[in-house]
Structure formats: structure tokens, C-alpha cells
């Protein structure tokens, strides 16, 4: 494990690296950026690398210090994160153990209606800030989703920020910079984290075996992730299957068969879904066509784990028999155009009516003549 493991955040990592090499690490940082793009992981990797017995800023992953850090059990790396108001002290330790085991450290943090209490800050940061490191050389404090601090907690933290002990780094992470008190912000150097490209999210999901993704599921989760690996992991758990079912129904005409239902479906999508959800619906429609094309070209030879809509395999196969490659390609172009139109804030009602008509027409043609008739 090392800082180079952080994907898609080259600017942030380069900044930390050069500050370290110039021996100018700030005492306090705010890692700002969307949820699930690697802020907490980067903070923990930085903490591990600073303490690695091999020196440098890579983190060897093998020394005693790196191994303790990987288990989130390093005595000089302290992690504070939001907990429900009525949580018992032991619960934090359980969450940490689970995070270390499951490999995705962001997923359990920042839960709704959770706070970082003044007790947590006093206990994990203030009381420890002036103690010498156990194994050294650095003591690192990570406050994940720091905007969840209560005002009292932020005040307590300020004391540590005003008189920072040597060889101490404090990293606050947040996706809501403006929710942090200005008094705290003004004492921290800000580092910006960005949304991840979809390919990067897919790679992250596949590269950590503990997450248990195959190619097709990683692709789907990445498609709905909005550039957040954390969101992709959550999407896998929450209703991705039902979303896939909805897309399959749209593409096979089980939903929106006939003019009335089609107009109704288009207006439901236009008025009930947000723009990002509309984009991801169109992304999934494209992935459906990709599956159809794969089955058409490779049949049973399609590699295991490549077919996203595995549960709807029979419907995919029926379309693969009925549509030729050109018809599939034409429809994909229409759906892609629709996606661009939504991106440009075109009227979603018109866009979805038109794209659902395109889908219906392509399907009717296929049913009427099969692939051969279209090719002729
Ligand atoms: Zn090491």
C-alpha cells in the first residue's frame, strides 16, 4: 500500500509528495471533494507512509508499522469519524475493524444523522496531540467528514490547531467545505480531490478482491457511480438490481409498450428523476445494447462476468437473434445523443419521449423482420 495506490487524484498526491520532499508538510490539511473519491484513503495512506520504517513517502506495506496501519490499528494514527449520537464507545472500534477487513474504508463513514462529538475529539485528538509518538516518527490524526463536528467539537479541535506539536499532521476530510467553521478552515491547507473518471472507478472496484466485483458488475456500478468509488460500492448493495430490471423492461417493451404507456413512462422519467439519474438510466440502456451485441457476436462464448444483465439473459438473447449489428449500433447512437442532450439541459420530456420511440421502433423492426430484413 502506498500513496501511488490512490487513483485519479494525481494533483492532490503530487502536492503532498512535493511538500513532504521539501520537508514542508503543513500541520493541518483539509481534503475537500465529493464522497467516495479517496480522501480518507489518501489520508490514511499518507499517515502510513510517514511512519513506514523504510522511509520515503511510498509506504512499503511490509514493515510492522505499515501492517498495523493497514489494519487501522497503528498507535500513532488516530481516526475520528461521525457516529450516531447514541453510539456506544465500542461501536467505533467495531466499525474500524469492519472497514479494515472489507477493504473499502469510506463506505461506513459519514452516515446520516451522525455527528462527531466533542468527547470524540477530546479523546482521539486533543488528549493525544501532546503525547510523544509511540513508534514514531509521526503522529497523524484523521477527522473524516469533519463537517459533522458539533460546534463544541470544532472548538476543541481549534486548540490543537493553534498550538500544533511537532511531527504531527492533522487531516480533515469533507465534501461540504462551507459547513466547516471559518476558524478551522483558516488554519488548514486545502487540497482538492476530484470526481473519478468512470474507467478509474471500474479499475478500483476490480483491483480490490475483497470487494468481490466481477467485470460486468463493476462496469454497471461504475456507470451509476457519478465518479465516486464509494457510491459505486453502495450502488451495488442498494437497488442496482431493480434499476437493471427497469432498464430491461424499457428495452424489451415490457414497460412502455404502446403509445399511451410510452408517453407516460417518458414523463415519469422526465419529472420524477433528477438529471444525473436520467443520465445514468441512459448509460444503463447503452450497457444493455452492449450486452445484446456481445451475445450476438459471441453467443455462449461471451466471457463469464462480461454480461451485465445476466438475470435477463433470455431477453438479451432474443434481441441478439432479432437485431443485426447495424440496428444495434444505430440505436446506441440515438441513446448516446439523448444522453448528450440531457447533459446540455435539453427538455427531458422531449428527449425521453423521442428516445423511447427510437427504442420501440427498433424493436418493432427487429420483431417484424429480424436482423436480416434490416440489413437488406
Ligand atoms: Zn513500511
Amino acid at each position: 500500500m502506498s500513496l501511488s495506490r490512490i487513483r485519479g487524484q494525481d494533483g492532490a498526491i503530487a502536492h503532498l509528495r512535493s511538500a513532504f520532499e521539501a520537508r514542508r508538510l503543513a500541520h493541518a490539511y483539509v481534503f475537500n471533494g465529493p464522497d467516495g473519491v479517496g480522501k480518507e484513503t489518501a489520508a490514511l495512506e499518507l499517515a502510513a507512509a510517514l511512519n513506514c520504517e523504510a522511509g520515503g513517502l511510498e509506504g512499503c506495506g511490509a514493515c510492522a508499522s505499515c501492517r498495523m496501519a493497514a489494519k487501522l490499528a497503528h498507535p500513532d494514527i488516530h481516526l475520528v469519524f461521525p457516529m450516531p449520537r447514541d453510539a456506544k464507545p465500542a461501536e467505533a472500534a467495531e466499525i474500524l475493524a469492519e472497514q479494515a477487513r472489507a477493504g473499502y474504508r469510506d463506505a461506513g463513514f459519514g452516515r446520516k444523522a451522525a455527528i462527531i462529538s466533542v468527547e470524540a475529539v477530546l479523546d482521539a485528538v486533543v488528549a493525544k496531540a501532546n503525547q510523544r509518538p509511540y513508534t514514531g516518527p509521526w503522529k497523524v490524526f484523521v477527522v473524516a467528514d469533519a463537517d459533522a463536528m458539533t460546534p463544541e467539537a470544532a472548538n476543541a479541535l481549534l486548540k490543537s490547531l493553534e498550538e500544533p506539536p511537532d511531527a504531527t499532521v492533522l487531516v480533515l476530510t469533507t465534501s461540504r467545505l462551507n459547513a466547516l467553521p471559518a476558524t478551522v478552515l483558516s488554519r488548514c491547507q486545502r487540497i482538492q480531490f476530484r470526481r473519478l473518471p468512470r474507467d478509474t472507478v471500474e479499475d478500483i472496484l476490480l483491483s480490490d478482491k475483497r470487494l468481490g466485483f466481477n467485470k460486468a458488475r463493476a462496469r454497471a456500478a461504475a456507470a451509476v457511480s457519478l465518479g465516486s468509488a464509494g457510491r459505486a460500492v453502495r450502488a451495488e448493495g442498494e437497488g442496482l438490481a431493480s434499476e437493471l430490471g427497469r432498464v430491461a423492461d424499457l428495452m424489451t417493451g415490457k414497460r412502455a409498450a404502446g403509445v399511451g404507456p410510452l408517453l407516460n413512462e417518458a414523463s415519469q422519467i422526465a419529472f420524477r428523476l433528477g438529471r444525473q439519474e436520467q443520465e445514468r438510466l441512459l448509460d444503463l440502456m447503452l450497457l444493455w445494447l452492449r450486452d445484446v451485441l456481445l451475445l450476438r457476436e459471441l453467443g455462449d462464448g461471451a466471457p463469464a462476468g462480461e454480461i451485465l444483465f445476466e438475470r435477463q439473459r433470455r431477453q438479451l438473447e432474443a434481441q441478439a437473434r432479432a437485431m443485426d449489428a447495424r440496428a444495434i449500433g444505430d440505436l446506441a447512437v440515438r441513446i448516446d445523443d439523448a444522453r448528450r442532450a440531457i447533459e446540455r439541459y435539453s427538455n427531458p420530456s422531449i428527449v425521453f419521449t423521442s428516445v423511447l420511440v427510437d427504442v420501440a421502433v427498433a424493436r418493432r423492426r427487429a420483431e417484424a423482420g429480424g436482423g436480416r430484413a434490416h440489413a437488406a
Side-chain angles (χ1 to χ4, degrees), residues 250-374:
L250 282 174
M251 298 304 283
T252 56
K254 204 166 157 187
R255 261 176 128 106
V259 176
L262 188 149
L263 292 176
N264 183 39
E265 186 69 24
S267 74
Q268 295 263 348
I269 295 169
F271 298 113
R272 296 244 173 111
L273 301 185
R275 194 170 61 92
Q276 290 180 326
E277 291 168 306
Q278 291 167 353
E279 286 176 12
R280 97 185 191 184
L281 187 62
L282 292 164
D283 284 338
L284 290 173
M285 287 166 74
L286 280 170
L287 289 172
W288 168 273
L289 288 181
R290 183 184 174 280
D291 277 2
V292 171
L293 198 59
L294 262 180
L295 284 175
R296 194 194 134 80
E297 300 304 318
L298 301 175
D300 287 339
E306 277 286 330
I307 302 296
L308 168 58
F309 290 85
E310 192 59 64
R311 280 196 196 174
Q312 291 85 13
R313 194 175 179 109
R314 279 173 56 191
Q315 291 150 289
L316 284 174
E317 283 169 346
Q319 282 204 347
R321 281 192 300 273
M323 289 175 87
D324 66 18
R326 205 180 108 197
I328 297 169
D330 287 348
L331 185 55
V333 169
R334 299 290 176 99
I335 294 172
D336 197 47
D337 286 346
R339 195 188 185 295
R340 281 168 215 270
I342 293 295
E343 264 173 37
R344 290 191 309 261
Y345 294 89
S346 299
N347 180 329
S349 177
I350 294 171
V351 172
F352 275 96
T353 304
S354 137
V355 78
L356 291 183
V357 167
D358 289 336
V359 169
V361 167
R363 204 175 50 237
R364 294 257 168 76
R365 269 195 200 142
E367 280 161 7
R372 216 170 298 162
H374 185 83

Side-chain angles (χ1 to χ4, degrees), residues 58-342:
E58 269 318 301
C60 70
C63 70
S65 174
C66 282
R67 288 206 308 263
M68 284 190 287
K71 287 184 192 149
L72 301 180
H74 196 292
D76 293 318
I77 301 175
H78 304 282
L79 180 57
V80 187
F81 50 90
M83 294 285 292
R85 235 170 244 281
D86 52 358
K88 304 196 171 54
E91 282 179 47
E94 281 167 23
I95 290 174
L96 280 182
E98 173 59 21
Q99 292 281 330
R101 190 194 61 74
Y104 200 80
R105 294 162 178 165
D106 287 7
F109 299 150
R111 286 182 289 183
K112 275 184 191 163
I115 56 148
I116 296 177
S117 67
V118 64
E119 291 81 8
V121 168
L122 287 173
D123 201 45
V125 184
V126 178
K128 300 204 166 74
N130 286 305
Q131 294 168 1
R132 297 169 65 85
Y134 285 93
T135 59
W138 289 84
K139 244 182 324 182
V140 184
F141 298 93
V142 179
V143 183
D145 290 311
D147 49 84
M149 284 190 293
T150 63
E152 297 76 24
N155 270 332
L157 189 75
L158 266 178
K159 297 229 166 62
S160 304
L161 286 170
E162 274 160 5
E163 301 148 22
D166 287 339
T168 299
V169 179
L170 172 70
V171 181
L172 312 181
T173 72
T174 184
S175 55
R176 301 188 304 140
L177 197 65
N178 295 334
L180 277 171
T183 44
V184 168
L185 269 182
S186 66
R187 286 173 174 79
C188 299
Q189 202 173 106
R190 206 176 298 174
I191 296 200
Q192 187 63 39
F193 282 67
R194 315 204 164 279
R195 287 194 187 284
L196 303 166
R198 191 191 294 183
D199 292 354
T200 306
V201 174
E202 201 176 317
D203 284 350
I204 290 172
L205 300 182
L206 285 173
S207 65
D208 193 335
K209 297 286 167 256
R210 290 171 296 186
L211 297 177
F213 277 89
N214 67 24
K215 269 191 169 178
R217 300 206 77 81
R219 185 176 300 118
V224 302
S225 69
L226 307 174
S228 155
R231 196 178 166 125
V233 171
R234 286 193 295 272
E236 172 72 5
E238 294 164 7
L240 183 58
S242 74
E243 208 164 359
L244 295 183
R246 177 179 197 173
V247 170
D249 289 350
L250 282 174
M251 298 304 283
T252 56
K254 204 166 157 187
R255 261 176 128 106
V259 176
L262 188 149
L263 292 176
N264 183 39
E265 186 69 24
S267 74
Q268 295 263 348
I269 295 169
F271 298 113
R272 296 244 173 111
L273 301 185
R275 194 170 61 92
Q276 290 180 326
E277 291 168 306
Q278 291 167 353
E279 286 176 12
R280 97 185 191 184
L281 187 62
L282 292 164
D283 284 338
L284 290 173
M285 287 166 74
L286 280 170
L287 289 172
W288 168 273
L289 288 181
R290 183 184 174 280
D291 277 2
V292 171
L293 198 59
L294 262 180
L295 284 175
R296 194 194 134 80
E297 300 304 318
L298 301 175
D300 287 339
E306 277 286 330
I307 302 296
L308 168 58
F309 290 85
E310 192 59 64
R311 280 196 196 174
Q312 291 85 13
R313 194 175 179 109
R314 279 173 56 191
Q315 291 150 289
L316 284 174
E317 283 169 346
Q319 282 204 347
R321 281 192 300 273
M323 289 175 87
D324 66 18
R326 205 180 108 197
I328 297 169
D330 287 348
L331 185 55
V333 169
R334 299 290 176 99
I335 294 172
D336 197 47
D337 286 346
R339 195 188 185 295
R340 281 168 215 270
I342 293 295

